[in-house]
Amino acid sequence: MKLDYKKIREDEEINLLIEKGNEILKELGYTEHSRKHAAKVAAEAGNILEQLGYKPQKVELARIAGYMHDIGNSINRHDHAHTGAILAYQILQNRGMELKKILTVTTAIGHHDEDTGTAVDEVSAALILADKTDVRRNRVQNPNPANFDIHDRVNYAALSSKLVVDREKKIIQMNLELDDSICSVMDYFEIFLKRMLMCRRAAEKLGCRFKLHANGSKLC
């Protein structure tokens, strides 16, 4: 039986790992990394490759990597990309996925964190772009605004965030609208500069340029 994204998204073990990871991160004060984030990253990663004209198999692997990318949080936030890749290898092997496909997925998962990874192929590039641009208010899990850290403020201030792929011009652009009474554009850059540089390199791996527009202004 073919293992596709639909089966991955319905897999009880994978979903339990995702939700356990989010439970731990919520306790530690991190933003939301639940199945909602997993599904959004999966959809966006697949969409990026689809719009750039990649074959359906690559698109499907990007979706699978996107959905599974944070399962390592169920063990520990520290080094979660690497532990997540090892978990994914075991799970996908047990589900009968072809080894070459497993390695594509695990490589992407193992390289999605900005402290230790970078885009090394098309699937990892799409995952990075999808993950690092998921900025939105409902990712904030801290119920008390008085206790927001800068991560909470940036996400809470995000009124809208959209990734636009222009295949003809070879541009991948993030359009971000921030409530600057909560968080300034400078605050955003203070925390997300490393991630935006990672996105630039990921876009280059896909033969594109990465652009960021915040509150109508071109930032990079």
Side-chain angles (χ1 to χ4, degrees), residues 72-204:
N73 285 319
S74 62
I75 296 174
N76 197 301
R77 177 62 180 175
H78 180 70
D79 223 14
H80 75 285
H82 302 153
T83 53
I86 293 167
L87 284 171
Y89 184 96
Q90 295 170 337
I91 291 167
L92 296 174
Q93 189 177 53
N94 290 340
R95 305 297 184 273
M97 181 181 272
E98 181 185 334
L99 182 56
K100 278 190 175 181
K101 294 179 181 179
I102 293 175
L103 293 174
T104 298
V105 171
T106 55
T107 294
I109 294 172
H111 283 83
H112 84 271
D113 186 70
E114 62 268 23
D115 289 330
T116 58
T118 191
V120 292
D121 58 21
E122 301 91 344
V123 173
S124 61
L127 170 55
I128 287 166
L129 285 160
D131 182 38
K132 304 312 173 191
T133 57
D134 185 17
V135 183
R136 49 188 164 83
R137 175 167 288 190
N138 59 3
R139 289 197 71 188
V140 178
Q141 301 190 108
N142 184 344
N144 186 357
N147 295 331
F148 279 2
D149 65 8
I150 190 167
H151 293 81
D152 292 328
R153 286 207 320 275
V154 168
N155 279 279
Y156 195 78
L159 302 175
S160 69
S161 174
K162 187 176 182 181
L163 203 62
V164 179
V165 178
D166 189 324
R167 181 178 177 180
E168 186 176 332
K169 294 182 180 178
K170 296 188 177 300
I171 290 171
I172 298 173
Q173 181 171 308
M174 181 183 183
N175 294 324
L176 180 67
E177 186 180 352
L178 293 170
D179 182 340
D180 55 17
S181 69
I182 299 171
C183 163
S184 69
V185 173
M186 285 303 293
D187 287 334
Y188 178 86
F189 261 97
E190 179 184 347
I191 188 169
F192 285 141
L193 178 59
K194 189 184 285 188
R195 297 181 190 183
M196 294 301 98
L197 290 173
M198 196 181 194
C199 285
R200 184 176 73 182
R201 295 187 186 104
E204 289 169 355

Side-chain angles (χ1 to χ4, degrees), residues 1-18 61 64 67-68 71 86-99 101-102 105-106:
M1 187 181 293
K2 181 185 176 184
L3 183 66
D4 57 14
Y5 172 57
K6 183 176 184 294
K7 290 185 179 68
I8 291 294
R9 190 167 176 178
E10 294 171 351
D11 191 289
E12 182 181 10
E13 182 180 4
I14 293 168
N15 286 326
L16 283 172
L17 288 169
I18 294 169
L61 291 176
I64 291 170
Y67 195 74
M68 298 181 72
I71 59 175
I86 293 167
L87 284 171
Y89 184 96
Q90 295 170 337
I91 291 167
L92 296 174
Q93 189 177 53
N94 290 340
R95 305 297 184 273
M97 181 181 272
E98 181 185 334
L99 182 56
K101 294 179 181 179
I102 293 175
V105 171
T106 55

